[in-house]
Amino acid sequence: MTAVEIRKEGEVALVKIDSPPVNAAGYDVRVGLVNAIQDAASDDAIKVIALFAAGRTFVAGADIREFGQPPKLPGLPEVCDLLEASAKPIVCVLHGTTLGGGLEIALSCQARVGIKGLKLGLPEVNLGLLPGAGGTQRLPRLVDGKTALTMITSGKPISAEAALEAGLLDDLQDGDPEAVALAAGQQVLDGTLKTRVTAEQDNRITADELNTFRAKAKGELVTRALKAAEASSLPLSEGLQVERDLFVEALGSNAHKGLKHAFFAERAVAHIPEAKADARDLKSGGVIGGGTMGSGIATAMLLAGMPVTLIEMEEDRVAFARETITKNLGGAVKRGKLTEGQRDAVLGMLTCTTDMAALADADVVIEAVFESMDVKREVFGKLDQICKPGAVLATNTSYLDVDKIAATTSRPQDVIGLHFFSPAHVMRLLEVVVGKETAPEIVATSFRLAKKLRKIAVRSEVCDGFIGNRILAHYRKSSAYMQLDGAPFEQIDAALEGFGFAMGPFAVSDLAGQDIGWATRKRQAEFRPAEERYVEIADRVCEQGWFGRKSAKGFYIYDGKTRSVNPAVAEYAQVEREAKGISPRKFTDAEIVDCYMAAMVSEAARVVEEKIALRPIDVDAVFLFGYGFPRHWGGPLQYADITGLDVLVQRIEEYAKEDPYYWQVPALLRELAEAGKSFNDLNKEG
Ligand code: T1G
């Protein structure tokens, strides 16, 4: 199949791009476009060219997979220049999600016709880039400055209606792209559809608009995009050169590497060994437990259009669950995601009861009760009796052994872990924990459920804490060790927020509730190896009943919207240092980040080594979509590749001189470093 075809209808040359899945402007599409335009140009019978695409969307951008590869000419800028210079008018018909390089192709044509449902945008900043094929120069010549600058700096798409109003589209039609293209070609011929050469239009960004956007610009990415847009006041060829230089600069940035990796992480995790298994029906759902997690899971199912039966032990808990779900849906109304009418209709699909028999016909049942093995095994014993054959029986445990839970049923092959993250109707990550007996169809069905709930599902084997919490349990210790060794906890939080985390580890534990970590530490105390360092500061805090935000005091003191450091914490640290003969030392922010990240990478490497995660990119996805990992770093193992695996080995060996038990170089990390390979090489092996 050729990526670009040309068909001539009278005086109209129909040029069709057909390169699934999203007609990305890869090398074949670019060469195909050049050939087609030159063919039409040299055919005297042809008076107008109509460009459109097959499939679900017009060009959704440059081919992101080509970035970082040696450039293959013609590049997209050259293709756009050719389209703009065409002596015969080119009308471009846009449908689906016309983004980035796809919109730049359209901007270079002499007229644009949209098809209803179309979205148009320049999302390059989301990839740590900026439009690199004329978007920052040609867009301001077709629409007002504010619209242009908003699209370039926000990366957000606009609707077809807004594009028509802004003059980006010259017409908006309904129907099949090819038919619309032919009609548009004839309208150009009969003069009912006006054409114009973008290069001949004046730039419409004003100095005031530029200053306004500069004043509110956050971060290097937006500042760079604004610098390019500013050059649109120059003659087009000069402005294009300024844009190109800034684009090449961005292409080499770590932020681009991280954000590109994050883009593919979101998609790569769907490639699982069980993908081809027959997924089962998912019409209705059941939830056991109406606490924060259970109610959140029920809300996510309702928002996905699934009727839900929620079970609670007592009537007052039943009422509390319905109230919580109603509040969750109220939030969606406030965010404009749902109308009040839709909320009421969705609530109509909810049944809350104490009668477990009501779960008999549910296609999937998710247990979200108290995190105790005994309680969960009791629940699964009952589900085994009640649920219909073939129902998916899932546990939302965040730590416990899924195999042990499955073993209480006569159908362990139908049991799986579905680990949601709080709030479950908002957080995008879903860890799908596959037990020894879990059938491939149940895994495939769980990934289908995730897609239905608009979650990013990541496959995990069974281990204590699965992928995310296991790694968290390890690297969190490093922040406690640094605190005991002299770094004030507030400095640790600030250093990691500077690195890009939305919140530092101490603020996160205050938000989650210090009592949860305390209970875990107490549960683990009898199993803690003697050689493992243990920091008691957090225990001292909890002994005061200071559990964080929920008690307005933890490591921080919370007074309304303000937060201040709890001075008692530094005293507990000093007392423990003196007791253990530790002389405090100063840490730089960089040392704090290096240490924290080395701990995260260490355990992440072990999770890949032990095949708990399928690939390194799966670990990255877990942290990007469930643990607030800064997207521009692409995840802990992408960070490791950017930092250098040999550098991390050296760092861990350095730290091990002080604490050889906690700091051990994972075999996989050493192996890759010695072979000069990266974690991304393992992703490619897939
Ligand atoms: N390049 C390469 N592959 C792409 C791609 C792209 N631009 N867009 C999507 N794919 C793959 C994706 O990895 C997946 O593959 C499959 O297509 C389906 O995607 C010079 C520099 C278009 C809204 O940023 O936002 O142009 O996993 O699962 O949910 O100025 O894809 O099946 O193997 O996401 O329906 C600018 C990126 C590029 C748009 C469709 N463009 N794509 O969403 O499907 S930079 C973008 C999207 C640029 C120029 C610059 C979405 C979508 P696989 P999907 P979807």
Side-chain angles (χ1 to χ4, degrees):
M1 184 170 79
T2 52
V4 178
E5 287 169 18
I6 183 165
R7 185 169 67 79
K8 297 167 184 177
E9 284 279 340
E11 299 178 313
V12 179
L14 288 163
V15 176
K16 176 171 80 174
I17 299 171
D18 192 356
S19 178
V22 294
N23 291 314
Y27 178 70
D28 295 347
V29 168
R30 299 195 302 272
V31 169
L33 274 175
V34 170
N35 294 343
I37 300 302
Q38 288 171 343
D39 175 343
S42 61
D43 183 338
D44 294 342
I46 296 299
K47 300 286 183 284
V48 60
I49 301 164
L51 177 60
F52 68 100
R56 62 177 154 168
T57 181
F58 186 73
V59 177
D63 190 330
I64 303 171
R65 293 164 298 188
E66 290 184 352
F67 296 161
Q69 311 294 325
K72 289 171 83 174
L73 295 178
L76 199 50
E78 289 78 33
V79 173
C80 289
D81 292 348
L82 180 80
L83 295 170
E84 185 164 58
S86 171
K88 299 178 182 179
I90 307 174
V91 55
C92 190
V93 172
L94 317 177
H95 75 289
T97 46
T98 298
L99 305 171
L103 182 54
E104 290 172 303
I105 286 171
L107 294 170
S108 311
C109 297
Q110 289 73 31
R112 284 150 292 281
V113 175
I115 292 185
K116 290 206 174 106
L118 165 71
K119 290 217 175 327
L120 313 88
L122 294 173
E124 285 85 347
V125 282
N126 304 333
L127 289 165
L129 298 171
L130 62 144
T136 65
Q137 306 304 306
R138 294 192 173 99
L139 183 63
R141 283 173 163 79
L142 293 177
V143 300
D144 65 280
K146 186 161 178 275
T147 301
L149 290 171
T150 305
M151 290 178 72
I152 293 166
T153 56
S154 72
K156 292 203 174 71
I158 65 171
S159 69
E161 291 69 22
L164 186 67
E165 197 176 328
L168 180 50
L169 291 177
D170 300 290
D171 191 10
L172 185 56
Q173 290 291 335
D174 229 332
D176 164 66
E178 181 152 5
V180 172
L182 183 56
Q186 278 144 2
Q187 286 165 349
V188 170
L189 286 172
D190 65 26
T192 51
L193 180 62
K194 295 281 173 268
T195 62
R196 55 191 164 149
V197 177
T198 308
E200 294 164 4
Q201 314 306 308
D202 294 331
N203 161 46
R204 293 160 64 183
I205 296 176
T206 65
D208 288 353
E209 285 161 342
L210 261 177
N211 292 337
T212 309
F213 276 78
R214 261 200 224 100
K216 61 181 178 182
K218 287 203 181 68
E220 183 198 1
L221 302 182
V222 173
T223 309
R224 187 190 283 128
L226 274 176
K227 239 161 107 186
E230 182 180 0
S232 61
S233 58
L234 300 170
L236 183 61
S237 58
E238 291 174 35
L240 288 172
Q241 191 54 54
V242 171
E243 178 194 87
R244 174 60 31 186
D245 296 345
L246 290 164
F247 179 78
V248 172
E249 179 191 300
L251 212 49
S253 68
N254 283 342
H256 167 58
K257 292 191 186 99
L259 290 164
K260 181 176 84 172
H261 186 81
F263 174 84
F264 285 118
E266 188 173 334
R267 289 149 180 91
V269 289
H271 301 288
I272 56 169
E274 299 88 354
K276 294 214 168 32
D278 293 337
R280 299 180 183 164
D281 268 354
L282 281 171
K283 293 198 190 62
S284 63
V287 177
I288 314 255
T292 309
M293 289 310 292
S295 299
I297 294 167
T299 308
M301 284 180 169
L302 289 168
L303 287 170
M306 293 173 76
V308 174
T309 302
L310 184 138
I311 307 294
E312 256 295 357
M313 306 299 278
E314 281 109 39
E315 285 307 331
D316 62 336
R317 299 290 308 163
V318 165
F320 175 77
R322 178 174 285 279
E323 206 184 300
T324 310
I325 294 168
T326 307
K327 261 204 221 111
N328 290 345
L329 293 171
V333 172
K334 264 207 216 89
R335 290 192 304 277
K337 294 247 187 293
L338 219 56
T339 65
E340 294 197 353
Q342 288 166 330
R343 179 211 42 218
D344 299 344
V346 160
L347 271 174
M349 300 196 301
L350 173 64
T351 306
C352 292
T353 172
T354 56
D355 177 12
M356 277 187 82
L359 293 170
D361 292 327
D363 294 318
V364 53
V365 177
I366 304 178
E367 161 277 310
V369 300
F370 182 66
E371 192 75 334
S372 136
M373 183 56 88
D374 295 343
V375 176
K376 291 186 188 288
R377 286 164 65 91
E378 190 198 333
V379 168
F380 273 76
K382 291 186 184 146
L383 289 178
D384 195 23
Q385 304 307 315
I386 293 165
C387 295
K388 67 179 180 184
V392 176
L393 306 181
T395 170
N396 178 56
T397 179
S398 46
Y399 270 96
L400 300 175
D401 186 333
V402 173
D403 290 323
K404 283 209 181 96
I405 295 172
T408 52
T409 73
S410 62
R411 46 178 141 171
Q413 73 282 3
D414 293 339
V415 177
I416 195 162
L418 291 182
H419 179 211
F420 289 78
F421 288 74
S422 184
H425 61 297
V426 176
M427 291 297 285
R428 299 184 66 199
L429 180 67
L430 177 63
E431 274 185 324
V432 175
V433 186
V434 181
K436 285 194 192 61
E437 310 285 337
T438 306
E441 301 78 42
I442 295 294
V443 183
T445 307
S446 301
F447 269 73
R448 177 186 280 187
L449 175 67
K451 199 158 188 163
K452 198 177 174 91
L453 304 183
R454 305 171 75 74
K455 301 291 182 197
I456 297 171
V458 178
R459 187 189 187 287
S460 173
E461 294 284 334
V462 172
C463 72
D464 194 347
F466 320 133
I467 297 175
N469 284 345
R470 169 178 163 173
I471 297 170
L472 170 66
H474 181 79
Y475 69 78
R476 174 184 283 155
K477 291 175 187 156
S478 70
S479 48
Y481 295 157
M482 286 190 276
Q483 182 189 19
L484 189 59
D485 293 339
F489 76 87
E490 64 274 21
Q491 182 197 2
I492 295 172
D493 274 0
L496 291 162
E497 286 157 18
F499 174 76
F501 282 97
M503 222 187 258
F506 296 92
V508 169
S509 52
D510 261 7
L511 181 68
Q514 293 294 346
D515 49 334
I516 297 171
W518 197 23
T520 308
R521 292 192 298 276
K522 283 185 199 162
R523 198 179 62 235
Q524 292 171 338
E526 62 181 298
F527 311 107
R528 190 169 301 118
E531 60 272 40
E532 180 178 318
R533 285 185 80 185
Y534 184 72
V535 179
E536 301 159 35
I537 300 167
D539 298 348
R540 297 294 89 78
V541 170
C542 292
E543 284 153 8
Q544 306 302 315
W546 300 338
F547 297 141
R549 286 196 191 209
K550 59 178 141 187
S551 54
K553 202 171 192 176
F555 278 79
Y556 295 95
I557 298 170
Y558 302 89
D559 179 9
K561 288 211 175 330
T562 60
R563 170 187 99 171
S564 58
V565 168
N566 177 352
V569 177
E571 290 159 25
Y572 297 147
Q574 191 48 32
V575 168
E576 189 170 343
R577 285 187 202 116
E578 281 158 14
K580 292 178 175 174
I582 296 171
S583 2
R585 70 176 184 87
K586 290 223 170 308
F587 285 75
T588 64
D589 288 2
E591 283 174 325
I592 289 169
V593 171
D594 291 352
C595 177
Y596 190 82
M597 287 308 302
M600 192 185 292
V601 169
S602 301
E603 196 61 17
R606 283 186 273 269
V607 161
V608 176
E609 196 176 297
E610 295 166 25
K611 302 201 177 331
I612 300 297
L614 284 173
R615 298 153 292 234
I617 201 165
D618 294 66
V619 176
D620 288 333
V622 163
F623 279 84
L624 287 167
F625 304 112
Y627 292 78
F629 195 92
R631 199 179 164 90
H632 64 274
W633 280 105
L637 296 176
Q638 173 66 11
Y639 158 88
D641 282 351
I642 289 175
T643 305
L645 304 191
D646 52 345
V647 171
L648 283 156
V649 169
Q650 282 156 21
R651 270 187 200 148
I652 295 168
E653 286 173 341
E654 192 56 35
Y655 301 143
K657 290 178 185 153
E658 279 186 27
D659 182 353
Y661 175 79
Y662 180 72
W663 292 106
Q664 299 173 34
V665 179
L668 177 64
L669 181 63
R670 191 182 296 284
E671 194 190 299
L672 290 171
E674 284 168 1
K677 291 177 83 176
S678 69
F679 283 110
N680 211 26
D681 291 328
L682 296 185
N683 291 328
K684 293 179 190 138
E685 287 161 20

